[in-house]
Amino acid sequence: MPVAGIDGTKDGWVAIVLEDGRFAGDFLCRPVESDFGAVADASVLAIDVPIGFGPRRADVAARTFLSGAASTVFATPPRELLEQPFGPGLGVSAQSHALGPRILHVTELARSDPRLHEVHPEVSFRAMNGGLPLAHRKKSAGGALERFALLRQHGIELEALEQVGSAPLDDVLDAAAAAWTAQRLAAGTAGSLPDPPELVDGSAIAIWY
């Protein structure tokens, strides 16, 4: 069955679909509050956004895993901070707070859709690379080429993009990395940070790779 990797983009989401580990399609899902109906046939949805609210062991474990690039993992804020207007003294970065609507939406959606699993693309790319750090930051030319090469090594070719062909390159690469993890989740070979996942209010909270 197909699986999908999903990453945020302006006003919505980029989705990359794999079938048997190979590229099978791409979708632009809008708005941010999408129910991801375009990928309704996918058995697993791996999404690059926190599912649940901080503080979380998953964020700490991911920073440890990404030694040398720990700054790419931000601390997920508590729900009450995300629901307040952003301003000085709130105790959360503007970047983290701006993700609030996505975190709130996907966390609620995950309560009724067990296909949703959280990923962090840089964790996935490092896992693809045998646990070794990548040489370049993802927004650099060298970083994009490095990540394209890793995806290709793992059988994911992105030359046939349609709906997301005009999306930012790093969003597409991140969605493809999420799809790689979705395939591993479907096969039962994915790892989790932490391992085992943290149980919060009956839900398993982890970043998968």
Side-chain angles (χ1 to χ4, degrees), residues 13-205:
W13 308 86
V14 167
I16 297 293
V17 177
L18 304 182
E19 194 152 7
D20 296 325
R22 298 294 188 266
F23 176 81
D26 61 285
F27 298 92
L28 194 56
C29 303
R30 285 180 168 148
V32 168
E33 296 78 15
S34 171
D35 63 359
F36 305 113
V39 289
D41 292 340
S43 61
V44 176
L45 304 178
I47 189 165
D48 175 24
V49 73
I51 297 176
F53 307 101
R56 311 184 318 157
R57 288 176 54 206
D59 300 331
V60 176
R63 282 195 290 270
T64 300
F65 184 86
L66 288 173
S67 175
S71 63
T72 64
V73 182
F74 70 87
T76 305
R79 180 172 194 144
E80 55 268 24
L81 293 187
L82 293 176
E83 291 177 333
Q84 294 181 40
F86 181 74
L90 190 59
V92 61
S93 71
Q95 180 185 16
S96 297
H97 192 269
L99 286 175
R102 295 181 188 269
I103 296 172
L104 290 162
H105 171 62
V106 174
T107 297
E108 183 60 31
L109 197 61
R111 296 181 189 277
S112 58
D113 191 343
R115 298 176 303 155
L116 280 162
H117 292 74
E118 179 184 347
V119 298
H120 188 296
E122 289 304 292
V123 170
S124 296
F125 278 121
R126 186 169 293 199
M128 282 186 223
N129 202 38
L132 299 174
L134 277 66
H136 304 285
R137 297 177 66 86
K138 72 175 184 178
K139 288 185 179 290
S140 68
L145 292 171
E146 191 175 19
R147 286 157 179 78
F148 263 123
L150 280 171
L151 290 166
R152 180 168 288 170
Q153 287 171 23
H154 289 272
I156 302 173
E157 302 279 356
L158 296 174
E159 282 79 6
L161 295 175
E162 295 183 354
Q163 290 190 24
V164 306
S166 298
L169 178 57
D170 57 317
D171 294 344
V172 175
L173 292 174
D174 285 353
W180 177 81
T181 295
Q183 191 70 45
R184 285 162 58 90
L185 281 158
T189 59
S192 70
L193 299 170
D195 183 14
E198 180 181 13
L199 288 176
V200 179
D201 297 329
S203 298
I205 303 299

